[in-house]
Amino acid sequence: MGRTTAVSPSALLHTTSTRSHLPRTCSYVKRPCSRRAVRLLALALFLVTTRVLPGFSEARAEDQILRASLNTELQILDPIFSTVNATRVFAYMVFDTLVSIDNEGEYHPQMLEGWQISDDKMTYTFRLREGLTWSDGSQVTADDCVASIRRWAKRESFGAQLIEATQEFRVVDSKTFELRLSRPFAFVIEALGKPGNVIPVMMPARLAGLDISKPVPEVVGSGPFLFRRDEWRPNDRAIFDRNPNYRPREEPPDGLAGGKVVRLDRVDLVSMPDQATRVAALRTGELDLLEVVPFDSIAILRRDPNVTITSQHGIEQMMTVIALNHLQPPFNNVLVRRALQAAIAQEDVMAGMGLPDDMYLPRCLSIYMCGSPGTTDAGTDMYRSAGIEQAKKLLQEAGYHDEPVVFLHASTSALLDPVGLITADQMRRAGFNVDVRTSDFTTVAERRRSRAPVEKGGWSVVPIVWNGIDMVNPLSDPAVSYNCSESNPGWYCDAKLTELLRRYSGTFDAAERKDLAAQIQAEFHSNVNYVLAGQFSAPRAYRANLRGVVPFAFPVFWNVERK
């Protein structure tokens, strides 16, 4: 619905007085009006306005609500049960983490007051900040945090590696706990501050200790917002109130770090599957923020003085990727995977997305993002001979015989819709028998979890996108970090990669890390865990009357206020 603003009596009287140089006439009798008549007319107009529009106090309350539309729909409320970005946005609103990452990729204490590391780097001591409470009113304790870390690690590869290297957790007191390692592990802090899916959020031990095979039945966090679960309507609206008991840090906000001061009373996540409707709602003020601008609307919104479009570079950008089902034919055959790798021309995918030239790279083959400190061309020699003819040759060598390839296409996503159309066409030209199944993103995400053969409801390929902020460290990079993980749809598994990741996790030497990161990327390309389809900006847009919007790879709603 559109937003309206009530007019105060003083504003109406001011409007009248600015026209005092004109003859005062009462239009219905065409005669001069007295000053008393003018004041009565202003009062009458005000009374009518307050009946037709929201009341004055109600209008001020309306100004304290921010309405946003995400690129995908919020369906799952447990952050360790989904890699969908909507769940990540939700997680950082209602939960909090021990450690947080800033916009430059540096890690800082968040729920923690700080930490101490022993000289041999084998013992980490963590202490919680004072005054942290759960949304059910209970105090946050060290026991809660240890239970939450253990729960997260059962479904997250980075966490699993941390636990594998851990000898024990020891709770010292209600605010302090220790982590003692059994072998060197150089990325303890990075693991606890991992911003990507799956997120190490903290929750009460009574929930963290429940059966890990099921999402937790309650949403109890210690984050800056409270979720109105009783009023949640999936595919319609999710409402979040400012948490009055949240204690933000004193530092300025920076990415996910610093002070998460909520300056608005409420945030509504509004579902609008149609891309054109989203853009129209932003331009009229019915929406305040779009997570991703449909690419064909960027030029229009850049010219709109009431809209601000963000700029992104390096790890702020995204990578579009083709996920492959390694369990089922035909992509259980590495030669077929390499054929797809050869068939996808990033230049054509990027050019066909409709982005302005300054918002994409014609080509990027680094799993650490191009334009970032970790960029490398290791393992990319095979792309020199890539192309449709090479893809056809590899399919022939693989013994591919026109087996159906079920291609999941999410038409409701501003990002995935154009990528799906372009890459499906490239696959057909290379000789794949492509069966495109078009649906909404929620349906695609659910079907992608199926391990069944395609004839029994399974899948073969699906375009997805990764945030660059998730790709800076091999241990958290989805391109390689979920190697041999049962919880990752696609189920790639490479023994050589397992050993490389283990070696990387244990080294503190910068030169050795760089060398191992290059070997890890080369193995990624050789095994074809995924196919990289291009690096691009997925710009956010918001109303120009907002200030304090924190720049980051995905939307955060603290620090935002109206001008």
Side-chain angles (χ1 to χ4, degrees):
M1 58 183 177
R3 203 173 280 134
T4 54
T5 304
V7 183
S8 68
S10 60
L12 281 171
L13 289 172
H14 177 73
T15 302
T16 304
S17 65
T18 60
R19 297 178 180 176
S20 58
H21 64 284
L22 298 175
R24 290 192 202 93
T25 60
C26 293
S27 59
Y28 58 96
V29 292
K30 300 295 183 184
R31 62 178 174 81
C33 290
S34 67
R35 291 183 180 273
R36 180 172 180 274
V38 171
R39 288 195 294 270
L40 288 173
L41 177 60
L43 179 60
L45 286 171
F46 171 65
L47 292 174
V48 170
T49 302
T50 57
R51 290 180 182 275
V52 175
L53 303 177
F56 186 48
S57 61
E58 198 174 319
R60 286 186 295 179
E62 180 84 356
D63 286 341
Q64 294 303 307
I65 300 173
L66 184 144
R67 295 179 176 86
S69 181
L70 302 183
N71 183 52
T72 54
E73 307 302 330
L74 178 62
Q75 299 288 335
I76 298 176
L77 305 180
D78 189 329
I80 73 166
F81 271 81
S82 175
T83 59
V84 175
N85 212 47
T87 300
R88 168 155 61 177
V89 172
F90 168 84
Y92 280 102
M93 295 178 76
V94 301
F95 295 99
D96 214 344
T97 55
L98 298 175
V99 179
S100 286
I101 192 170
D102 66 22
N103 211 32
E104 299 298 320
E106 300 295 326
Y107 293 85
H108 305 269
Q110 187 60 39
M111 293 175 69
L112 294 173
E113 182 180 285
W115 56 77
Q116 293 180 330
I117 306 173
S118 63
D119 291 341
D120 63 1
K121 297 182 173 60
M122 296 295 284
T123 301
Y124 289 70
T125 303
F126 301 99
R127 181 162 183 82
L128 291 166
R129 291 194 289 132
E130 295 294 330
L132 300 182
T133 60
W134 301 115
S135 55
D136 64 4
S138 60
Q139 297 296 307
V140 176
T141 69
D143 284 303
D144 295 328
C145 297
V146 170
S148 297
I149 294 170
R150 290 191 179 279
R151 179 176 189 269
W152 162 71
K154 290 177 182 178
R155 293 185 64 90
E156 156 57 38
S157 60
F158 204 169
Q161 293 177 69
L162 172 62
I163 293 299
E164 186 273 330
T166 297
Q167 178 179 321
E168 68 169 343
F169 285 98
R170 186 174 78 88
V171 174
V172 178
D173 57 42
S174 64
K175 299 295 181 186
T176 311
F177 67 96
E178 288 182 351
L179 184 159
R180 296 179 179 176
L181 296 171
S182 59
R183 68 171 177 85
F185 191 84
F187 299 96
V188 173
I189 302 304
E190 290 84 348
L192 298 180
K194 178 180 184 288
N197 307 312
V198 174
I199 309 161
V201 299
M202 298 295 106
M203 61 180 61
R206 65 180 179 83
L207 295 176
L210 296 177
D211 182 0
I212 192 62
S213 67
K214 301 176 182 178
V216 290
E218 301 175 55
V219 177
V220 181
S222 62
F225 289 91
L226 301 174
F227 178 50
R228 295 190 195 177
R229 183 163 187 168
D230 292 344
E231 299 179 39
W232 178 41
R233 300 190 299 273
N235 300 315
D236 182 8
R237 188 175 302 253
I239 299 174
F240 302 81
D241 295 314
R242 179 175 59 85
N243 183 355
N245 297 318
Y246 181 74
R247 292 190 59 184
R249 298 188 66 89
E250 294 182 358
E251 303 92 338
D254 187 348
L256 300 177
K260 300 178 180 179
V261 179
V262 178
R263 304 187 187 280
L264 298 170
D265 291 337
R266 194 175 108 189
V267 173
D268 290 3
L269 299 183
V270 182
S271 176
M272 287 188 180
D274 182 74
Q275 307 297 336
T277 303
R278 291 181 186 178
V279 173
L282 179 70
R283 299 191 72 185
T284 61
E286 184 179 352
L287 285 177
D288 297 296
L289 182 145
L290 292 185
E291 181 184 13
V292 177
V293 179
F295 300 150
D296 58 1
S297 298
I298 291 174
I300 296 173
L301 292 181
R302 275 180 162 176
R303 295 193 297 267
D304 190 330
N306 297 312
V307 174
T308 298
I309 293 186
T310 60
S311 60
Q312 299 170 323
H313 306 280
I315 62 173
E316 296 175 332
Q317 294 185 306
M318 288 186 165
M319 180 71 74
T320 185
V321 179
I322 309 302
L324 314 175
N325 188 335
H326 289 238
L327 289 183
Q328 301 294 342
F331 292 106
N332 59 342
N333 184 333
V334 68
L335 288 179
V336 178
R337 298 200 296 272
R338 289 176 182 170
L340 178 57
Q341 186 182 55
I344 300 301
Q346 287 193 7
E347 299 89 338
D348 294 341
V349 176
M350 292 294 97
M353 289 175 72
L355 281 163
D357 292 345
D358 61 343
M359 286 193 174
Y360 68 88
L361 301 182
R363 204 178 203 204
C364 178
L365 299 173
S366 176
I367 64 172
Y368 310 118
M369 300 291 283
C370 295
S372 77
T375 303
T376 173
D377 60 1
T380 61
D381 288 349
M382 64 186 67
Y383 288 93
R384 293 176 183 174
S385 60
I388 294 298
E389 294 307 314
Q390 175 68 4
K392 290 179 178 179
K393 179 181 176 182
L394 287 169
L395 281 182
Q396 186 175 10
E397 290 180 15
Y400 177 72
H401 296 297
D402 208 40
E403 293 94 339
V405 172
V406 171
F407 188 109
L408 303 185
H409 172 226
S411 62
T412 58
S413 167
L415 300 180
L416 301 177
D417 182 35
V419 173
L421 296 173
I422 298 164
T423 54
D425 179 66
Q426 291 181 338
M427 290 178 66
R428 288 193 181 100
R429 290 191 287 118
F432 287 97
N433 177 13
V434 182
D435 178 8
V436 176
R437 306 292 179 89
T438 298
S439 61
D440 60 274
F441 178 83
T442 301
T443 302
V444 168
E446 181 60 31
R447 184 165 181 175
R448 188 185 166 212
R449 297 162 63 92
S450 173
R451 301 165 68 100
V454 294
E455 64 271 15
K456 295 184 178 180
W459 60 281
S460 306
V461 298
V462 54
I464 58 176
V465 289
W466 294 332
N467 285 101
I469 193 70
D470 300 331
M471 301 172 66
V472 295
N473 186 321
L475 300 180
S476 62
D477 190 334
V480 290
S481 66
Y482 288 102
N483 187 54
C484 301
S485 171
E486 290 297 311
S487 62
N488 181 58
W491 305 285
Y492 60 90
C493 191
D494 180 351
K496 184 176 179 180
L497 188 56
T498 299
E499 178 57 25
L500 287 170
L501 289 169
R502 180 182 172 87
R503 288 171 57 193
Y504 184 88
S505 73
T507 181
F508 292 86
D509 182 81
E512 186 178 4
R513 283 185 185 179
K514 184 176 181 180
D515 178 64
L516 286 169
Q519 292 183 53
I520 287 168
Q521 176 171 296
E523 189 59 23
F524 163 88
H525 285 303
S526 177
N527 189 59
V528 198
N529 297 355
Y530 299 85
V531 174
L532 304 183
Q535 180 174 325
F536 64 98
S537 295
R540 194 164 306 126
Y542 55 88
R543 297 286 296 176
N545 67 344
L546 297 182
R547 65 181 176 186
V549 177
V550 177
F552 198 62
F554 53 86
V556 296
F557 296 105
W558 49 84
N559 203 53
V560 184
E561 58 186 334
R562 297 193 192 280
K563 296 179 182 178

